[in-house]
Structures are given as structure tokens and as C-alpha cells.
Amino acid sequence: MRASLPKLYSHELVSLLFELPYCRISSLTEAGIAKRQTASQYLKQLVGIGVLAEVEAGKEKLFIHPKLMQLLTRDSNRFVRYIKKAQALPDERSHIPSSIRSRSVGWKAPASMARR
């Protein structure tokens, strides 16, 4: 992230991305990292470089951190480095777990992700 988006990188943002395997725009605004529009741009830039995956959950968007999700849900803790966009495989979302990648219309966020 620091190499791909140096202006976006901050310790606070990286810490927030590793608190939970997902975040919302409001997560960044509540943490005081950015205002709503800027937070949305930050998260979309992170989707653009493959750090996050954007998923619609009802009328809001969740930004899933697929690599953290894999570390939390798999027995293996093998971590594959991020691939730069220019080197990406034909399916640029190949590093995203298939359960997230499907993005089917019927996908519903688990109750644990519901807004409190």
C-alpha cells in the first residue's frame, strides 16, 4: 500500500484495515481518518490496487479485506504477496475468496456485519 498509494498511506488507516476483516466508509469517518467523500475515495483506491474487495450489503457497501479474511478462516497461515495491477492474472479478483468473489445478487451480509 505504501508503494502503490503513498499519499493515502497512514498508520491509522492500516491499523483500521486490520481491526476487522471488513470496513465501511463510516469506519474511516468515525476514526477521524477522513470525511465521508474522501473516505469513499480512499476505499475505492484500495479496491483498485487489490487490497480490498467492494461488496454490496443491503443499501450500504462493505469493503472486505480478503487476505485478512483468509488468514482468519483457513487452517494455513500462508500469505501470498499482493500482485501489482500490471502483473495481475486474467481474473484480477483471483486472490479474493470465491464466497466473496461471486457477488451474487442474493448475497446477504452475515448478521455479525450488520450495522449496529
Side-chain angles (χ1 to χ4, degrees):
M1 183 174 142
R2 188 183 303 185
S4 298
L5 299 170
K7 292 182 180 181
L8 178 67
Y9 177 83
S10 72
H11 175 73
E12 293 80 10
L13 179 57
V14 172
S15 294
L16 181 69
L17 294 177
F18 281 93
E19 281 182 19
L20 294 172
Y22 68 93
C23 67
R24 300 177 173 93
I25 294 170
S26 61
S27 303
L28 273 68
T29 59
E30 291 169 4
I33 294 171
K35 297 196 186 276
R36 184 164 181 76
Q37 187 171 357
T38 306
S40 174
Q41 291 173 356
Y42 284 0
L43 293 172
K44 287 182 189 249
Q45 288 176 1
L46 290 169
V47 168
I49 63 169
V51 173
L52 298 177
E54 185 176 351
V55 178
E56 289 189 19
K59 58 182 181 172
E60 74 173 350
K61 293 181 181 179
L62 293 178
F63 295 86
I64 310 289
H65 189 183
K67 298 231 181 220
L68 180 57
M69 184 79 80
Q70 287 176 357
L71 287 171
L72 295 173
T73 59
R74 292 195 176 158
D75 291 335
S76 164
N77 63 356
R78 188 173 150 255
F79 185 84
V80 179
R81 289 188 163 280
Y82 290 100
I83 299 172
K84 290 184 181 179
K85 276 288 194 186
Q87 300 170 341
L89 302 171
D91 180 0
E92 293 179 351
R93 299 177 302 154
S94 62
H95 65 282
I96 300 171
S98 60
S99 60
I100 297 169
R101 192 179 333 138
S102 66
R103 294 183 186 220
S104 64
V105 175
W107 187 85
K108 186 175 179 183
S112 62
M113 291 183 180
R115 181 166 236 170
R116 294 179 186 140

